[in-house]
Amino acid sequence: MGKAPGKLNELASLAGKWLGLSAAAPERHTAAVVADRFEQIAWRDTYEQSAGLRELAKELNERYDYTTDLLTDAFLAAYKVSPRLRERAEMAPSRLVNHQVITSLVESQEFGELRRETAGDPYAAAMAVLAQAAALRRILERSGDAQEQAERAKKAQQDAEGAATAVGEALQRAADEADEDGTVPAPAADAVQQAIETAEAAEAVARQAAQEAAQALAAAAPGIRAAARNAAAKAAEATREEAALMRAWGVDSGELERMPFDQRARLAERLRTSRLAEWAELIGRFRQMASGERARKVENAAGELVGVTLGNDLSRVIPCELANLGLPELRAVFAARYAAGELMLYDSQGEQTTGQGAIIACVDTSHSMYEAGPGGVTREAWAKACALALLDQARHAKRDFVGILFSAADKIQVFRFPAGPPAGIARVLDFAETFLGGGTSYQRPLTAAGELLEEEFNDAARTRGDIVLITDDECGVTEEWMRGWNDAKHLLGFRVFGVAIGAPRAAEADSVLDALCDNLRSIEDLTDVHAAADLFRVI
């Protein structure tokens, strides 16, 4: 037997709650991090350019749900200067695990340190995501139960929303069938009642599912937070190391920002795998030391007073000599002593004026340069670090730089870096990574250096170049070559600085190096970059 007819207004009153739920269902978001259009474009562009991100997303999506959304959030959290997260209630139930992961990341101290390197830099933010890949895998594996409960909650929520919509539809049919006085036929009224009961049951199931999902997520939260902290710490370390590597090799942040993503990734990989990669810290210290010495340098300074000498430099005449000019009868004596260069002058000891021509670093790459000294630093690493600092020195002074790598007489390679255009990190790496092997010959590289300075003199009338010969060996030169070498020095006015690495006998008085060089020093402690500090004050 059917139920009695009902009144439309009574049915509408009973269904009012469900009509409101159906009409005002809150918007559910799949992204935990609030991002504007430009930030979303930055993510899409980076994702398209990064094969690593795409491969990671493909791998994770094969085993877990919604991981592309998780990677998007992780990227944006690292990329944005001040990331803002949505409230948990705004999230789609299926993304609550993602929300918990990102919340744990953003709230950790380690992630704050990470963002110092990644904020505003899409490449660094992408590298941070990739550095967290292993931790994200562990988080997703351990939060499997929470994700299953979230899926049940999502399904229950959808069922509840569908049931609420069904109430509205049943009420609409009842309104269509109602008489003029609002009486609804029994079947239609019964359908509204049934829809309301179904909606109430669905709401109860959704509440229970949401509660169980929240409990599962709460149980997983401590593990997620710990893993997120570890992930952020690892990513921060990786990004700091890469940033330090770039700085050590002289790649500034402005150059990196202009560099295409794939080119920057290839450069980072090359720097990490370079033969001098483990000596990046030494290279950085050398460059910092050289920069500090440049700041200390004062051009044309008189230097420290060390006594009195004779000469005709009126700028250094001592007061008692100048007093002679005050006596008419002694002025002729002053003039005669001036002409003879016998005036008493203050004697000083200071740095020489720096050169104007090219700076040329002749770096020995014979087999013995493989040898390691204190701290495990190889002779090659010290020599190349010194040469790269000399490259900086040349760039700062707007002078040409030439790196000449040599070993035996038939092995030489020349790298030219003109003062005008940028040095180019790829070319710098080619110079730093090249190692010839073999024996040692001074004549071939020094001849090449002299020819380059002669070419510079002929083309630009520049003299006073500087040659730095870095070697760990001693070898002879012929008398004929030595005469030509001295003639070239006199004509072109260049200076030769010698650095004997781990070979004190090569730097002794009357050695070949001593005869070749105007300034010679011996380096024993290869961890000490300041042993060559004076080079950067006088070159």
Side-chain angles (χ1 to χ4, degrees), residues 7 66 127 205 253 276 280 321 327 359 419 440-441 454 467 476 502 525:
K7 293 292 185 180
Y66 319 118
M127 293 302 101
V205 171
S253 57
L276 296 182
E321 287 278 26
L327 300 173
I359 297 175
T440 305
S441 169
E454 183 179 6
I467 299 173
D525 183 359

Side-chain angles (χ1 to χ4, degrees), residues 370-389:
Y370 277 127
E371 188 173 330
V377 179
T378 65
R379 296 173 179 179
E380 179 201 9
W382 193 98
K384 295 284 183 63
C386 183
L388 291 173

Side-chain angles (χ1 to χ4, degrees), residues 75 78 114 117-119 121-129 235 239 242 261 264:
F75 170 87
L114 170 65
E117 302 289 346
T118 61
D121 186 341
Y123 172 86
M127 293 302 101
V129 174
T239 53
E242 183 165 311
F261 186 97
R264 185 169 170 182

Side-chain angles (χ1 to χ4, degrees), residues 57-199:
K58 180 181 178 181
E59 174 205 336
L60 295 180
N61 280 322
E62 288 175 352
R63 298 182 59 192
Y64 311 103
D65 295 325
Y66 319 118
T67 52
T68 301
D69 289 338
L70 177 60
L71 297 182
T72 304
D73 282 330
F75 170 87
L76 291 171
Y79 176 69
K80 289 171 64 69
V81 175
S82 300
R84 181 171 70 85
L85 303 188
R86 289 189 168 88
E87 296 297 327
R88 180 177 295 187
E90 299 178 73
M91 297 298 298
S94 60
R95 306 306 198 278
L96 287 176
V97 171
N98 287 2
H99 186 275
Q100 180 64 59
V101 172
I102 300 303
T103 300
S104 299
L105 276 174
V106 171
E107 291 178 350
S108 69
Q109 179 181 348
E110 293 82 357
F111 198 75
E113 296 173 359
L114 170 65
R115 283 195 294 107
R116 294 192 186 99
E117 302 289 346
T118 61
D121 186 341
Y123 172 86
M127 293 302 101
V129 174
L130 293 174
Q132 297 173 85
L136 292 177
R137 291 187 193 95
R138 289 194 297 272
I139 289 173
L140 291 171
E141 183 176 351
R142 293 173 182 174
S143 58
D145 181 60
Q147 187 61 50
E148 289 179 8
Q149 295 292 348
E151 287 296 323
R152 293 193 186 100
K154 170 190 172 183
K155 177 65 168 57
Q157 181 66 37
Q158 290 173 339
D159 291 345
E161 291 171 358
T165 300
V167 171
E169 293 171 350
L171 184 63
Q172 182 59 51
R173 287 193 296 272
D176 293 341
E177 297 179 23
D179 295 338
E180 292 182 0
D181 64 352
T183 300
V184 177
D190 184 44
V192 172
Q193 292 284 359
Q194 185 62 44
I196 291 173
E197 291 173 5
T198 301

Side-chain angles (χ1 to χ4, degrees), residues 485-504:
W485 175 252
N486 288 330
D487 290 343
K489 283 185 66 177
H490 178 72
L491 174 65
L492 301 173
F494 60 78
R495 299 175 296 180
V496 182
F497 298 83
V499 182
I501 306 177

